[in-house]
Amino acid sequence: MSIESVSSNKCFGGWHKRYAHESDLLNCKMQFAVYLPPVVSEGKSVPVVYWLSGLTCTDENFMQKAGAQRIAAELGVALVAPDTSPRGEGVADDENGAYDLGLGAGFYVNATEEPWARHYQMYDYIVSELPSLIEQYFPVTGQRAISGHSMGGHGALTIGLKNPGRYSSISAFSPISNPVNCPWGQKAFGAYLGDDKDAWQEHDASVLMARGGKIPVLVDQGESDNFLTDQLMPQALQQAAQSSGYPLDLRMQPGYDHSYFFIATFIEEHLRFHAEHF
């Protein structure tokens, strides 16, 4: 596969770049962003933190709002931010234009139901196709960590937990922790995965964490998040970790909401967390 340069901006001595490529898995053109720290210009290869964004977002939100490049430059870590869903002419979308299904709302699963199955293979895209591109075209090592926000927090947790050999650490902000029991998850899973509730369970972080594991996980959740009770359900994740003895560090942050102001406040701690485990 080849990649096409979209834009390039110098940032904290490194480079923020955007690229487009034709995805064989998603059957459409995709865009992603990558931040390369200054040490790359010295011929060094660096580990990668993959960031998965939430509902309605693209590859641009995190890179423009979180302020993560400064600390990534200091730590010598690359950041990679993919889009949140396939896009383009012919890609299925919710017929009513809902924000929580279809474009911008891929939920990081492999859809099995029509009309979604042809394009919505976001799980495999994040786990295999995108890392293959990154490791082919950029000076990165085989060390990876994964993080995300909201729907992307769900994606980071589930993908990391299901692939313990690929990631050294996992973190999340305001993740959808128990999607099989919340409206967002039930709507998306019902559309993408159909009526097979066993398939739903394989993409629920609380279910997966209850099975145990050893990859370090850091989660920050704002106590003033307006989605806290109905959609995010961090207590389910905490209970799962307690039942299995999972090494989860779940931090409830007083006064913080669901916004990128919250992410910007704690992103440095998350990147340092990942750097410690590379």
Side-chain angles (χ1 to χ4, degrees), residues 76-141:
V77 171
L79 305 174
V80 173
D83 203 345
T84 52
S85 77
R87 297 182 194 269
E89 185 176 351
V91 174
D93 193 13
D94 181 77
E95 59 184 14
N96 297 314
Y99 75 94
D100 55 358
L101 187 69
L103 301 185
F107 268 83
Y108 306 103
V109 301
N110 288 338
T112 57
E113 303 299 302
E114 298 301 334
W116 314 102
R118 172 170 168 75
H119 297 286
Y120 285 75
Q121 302 295 310
M122 287 298 294
Y123 177 89
D124 282 348
Y125 178 72
I126 299 300
V127 172
S128 60
E129 188 174 52
L130 180 61
S132 293
L133 275 176
I134 298 301
E135 289 163 21
Q136 177 181 354
Y137 285 100
F138 302 99
V140 297
T141 69

Side-chain angles (χ1 to χ4, degrees), residues 46-207:
V46 295
V48 184
V49 175
Y50 288 87
W51 173 270
L52 307 184
S53 288
L55 292 165
T56 75
C57 292
T58 68
D59 65 284
E60 295 184 279
N61 297 72
F62 174 74
M63 291 297 203
Q64 293 184 3
K65 295 180 179 180
Q69 292 92 340
R70 178 185 62 82
I71 191 64
E74 176 191 325
L75 295 173
V77 171
L79 305 174
V80 173
D83 203 345
T84 52
S85 77
R87 297 182 194 269
E89 185 176 351
V91 174
D93 193 13
D94 181 77
E95 59 184 14
N96 297 314
Y99 75 94
D100 55 358
L101 187 69
L103 301 185
F107 268 83
Y108 306 103
V109 301
N110 288 338
T112 57
E113 303 299 302
E114 298 301 334
W116 314 102
R118 172 170 168 75
H119 297 286
Y120 285 75
Q121 302 295 310
M122 287 298 294
Y123 177 89
D124 282 348
Y125 178 72
I126 299 300
V127 172
S128 60
E129 188 174 52
L130 180 61
S132 293
L133 275 176
I134 298 301
E135 289 163 21
Q136 177 181 354
Y137 285 100
F138 302 99
V140 297
T141 69
Q143 294 177 299
R144 311 176 197 91
I146 192 164
S147 186
H149 172 235
S150 194
M151 177 186 71
H154 140 77
L157 288 169
T158 56
I159 288 172
L161 291 168
K162 289 170 69 69
N163 296 275
R166 293 187 65 81
Y167 306 99
S168 56
S169 55
I170 306 166
S171 76
F173 291 83
S174 316
I176 303 172
S177 296
N178 192 203
V180 301
N181 288 317
C182 80
W184 278 341
Q186 291 169 345
K187 179 178 181 178
F189 288 1
Y192 298 145
L193 304 175
D195 297 329
D196 182 2
K197 299 295 179 65
D198 289 338
W200 294 20
Q201 302 275 326
E202 293 303 308
H203 296 281
D204 186 298
S206 295
V207 172

Side-chain angles (χ1 to χ4, degrees), residues 149-150 172-177 218-229 231-235 249-258 262 266 270:
H149 172 235
S150 194
F173 291 83
S174 316
I176 303 172
S177 296
L218 172 64
V219 173
D220 273 316
Q221 172 63 61
E223 290 185 356
S224 296
D225 192 319
N226 58 323
F227 300 115
L228 178 62
T229 302
Q231 301 284 12
L232 305 180
M233 302 180 178
Q235 71 280 0
D249 184 5
L250 173 59
R251 310 189 305 189
M252 300 299 296
Q253 303 290 3
Y256 287 93
D257 57 20
H258 200 71
F262 172 46
F266 296 102
H270 281 237

